């Protein structure tokens, strides 16, 4: 029996797994994601591969997915997509789901440190209390002192500038914030000094936050 040419061996091997040309993230969940691969929607669980395209879902949460495509790892947020040449995803997005209290809560960071946010379009600025600010290493007393009206009274507060606020793949630098001297708010409010620089879209129990 004659030897099989190397080129033919290579073609046979490649024929078992064709690389995906287009990959898009359509839904994010804990340990699974709805991914569109060359126009076909597939729900993949963490660790699961799509044999036909070579796409493997390594991990997933409510903020982003990490996929492996024929040996290359790429992190994508909601509605981010890549083409055959892995051009950088445009318009990073985060999907936030309404919780049992009717609030949109999401994890994020302030100046690189982990924070739990409540998305609040009624808050004019990112707002946190003094204890939260101290825990994040924010010397808020160097900020501009002012009086802020709450639902019940006028409270002493300080306006400060945060180096960076981040949720998922969305980063905004130079964000104004209010630090309240009392115990309000109990959770950090992700207000309009951050949200106003992004696009918001409500879809039932989900809020889509997308970079402009």
């Amino acid at each position: 029996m004659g030897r099989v040419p190397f080129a033919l061996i290579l073609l046979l091997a490649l024929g078992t797994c064709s690389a995906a040309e287009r990959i898009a993230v359509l839904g994010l969940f804990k340990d699974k994601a709805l991914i569109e691969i060359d126009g076909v929607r597939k729900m993949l669980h963490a660790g699961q591969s799509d044999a036909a395209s070579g796409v493997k879902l390594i991990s997933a949460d409510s903020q982003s997915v990490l996929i492996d495509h024929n040996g290359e790892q790429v992190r994508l947020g909601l509605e981010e997509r890549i083409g055959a040449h892995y051009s950088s995803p445009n318009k990073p997005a985060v999907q936030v789901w309404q919780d049992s209290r009717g609030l949109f809560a999401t994890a994020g960071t302030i100046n690189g440190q982990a924070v739990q946010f409540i998305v609040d379009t009624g808050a004019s600025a990112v707002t946190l209390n003094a204890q939260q600010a101290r825990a994040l290493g924010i010397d808020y007393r160097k900020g501009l002192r002012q009086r802020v009206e709450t639902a019940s009274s006028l409270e002493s507060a300080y306006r400060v500038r945060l180096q960076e606020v981040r949720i998922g793949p969305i980063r905004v630098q130079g964000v104004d914030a209010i630090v309240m001297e009392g115990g309000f708010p109990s959770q950090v409010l992700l207000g309009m000094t951050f949200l106003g620089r992004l696009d918001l879209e409500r879809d039932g129990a989900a809020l889509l936050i997308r970079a402009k």
Side-chain angles (χ1 to χ4, degrees):
M1 182 177 177
R3 297 179 60 187
V4 179
F6 174 76
L8 179 57
I9 296 174
L10 182 60
L11 285 172
L12 290 172
L14 291 175
T16 62
C17 180
S18 60
E21 293 292 325
R22 296 178 303 278
I23 303 170
V25 179
L26 302 182
L28 292 172
F29 311 92
K30 180 175 173 55
D31 297 327
K32 62 181 180 180
L34 179 62
I35 299 178
E36 186 176 83
I37 304 171
D38 291 340
V40 179
R41 297 185 179 189
K42 301 185 179 184
M43 182 68 77
L44 296 181
H45 294 259
Q48 182 182 0
S49 298
D50 177 56
S53 63
V55 173
K56 179 180 180 179
L57 180 63
I58 299 173
S59 63
D61 55 30
S62 62
Q63 308 294 327
S64 64
V65 299
L66 181 64
I67 64 172
D68 183 293
H69 182 233
N70 290 339
E72 291 195 58
Q73 292 191 4
V74 183
R75 184 169 293 279
L76 298 172
L78 185 68
E79 293 196 353
E80 290 186 346
R81 59 191 67 237
I82 53 175
H85 301 291
Y86 287 94
S87 59
S88 298
N90 53 17
K91 291 192 176 181
V94 173
Q95 188 178 40
V96 183
W97 292 90
Q98 201 169 26
D99 63 18
S100 59
R101 301 169 295 172
L103 302 175
F104 291 95
T106 186
T109 64
I110 289 178
N111 298 348
Q113 298 192 64
V115 172
Q116 285 292 324
F117 289 113
I118 296 295
V119 179
D120 188 354
T121 57
S124 60
V126 174
T127 307
L128 56 162
N129 65 41
Q131 183 178 356
Q132 293 161 341
R134 287 192 293 268
L136 293 170
I138 299 171
D139 189 1
Y140 64 90
R141 291 184 179 273
K142 289 184 178 180
L144 177 65
R145 188 168 185 175
Q146 57 189 66
R147 303 285 283 177
V148 175
E149 185 176 0
T150 66
S152 58
S153 63
L154 283 173
E155 302 287 344
S156 180
Y158 294 83
R159 180 171 286 271
V160 299
R161 174 65 62 90
L162 305 176
Q163 295 174 5
E164 180 188 87
V165 176
R166 176 178 179 175
I167 55 172
I170 299 175
R171 300 185 184 191
V172 177
Q173 296 182 328
V175 178
D176 285 340
I178 297 294
V179 178
M180 308 288 292
E181 284 209 306
F184 175 85
S186 58
Q187 283 187 267
V188 181
L189 302 181
L190 194 60
M192 294 307 292
T193 49
F194 178 83
L195 298 173
R197 294 158 72 173
L198 307 167
D199 286 328
L200 307 181
E201 182 180 340
R202 178 75 180 269
D203 183 12
L207 179 66
L208 180 64
I209 304 174
R210 184 188 291 112
K212 290 186 176 180

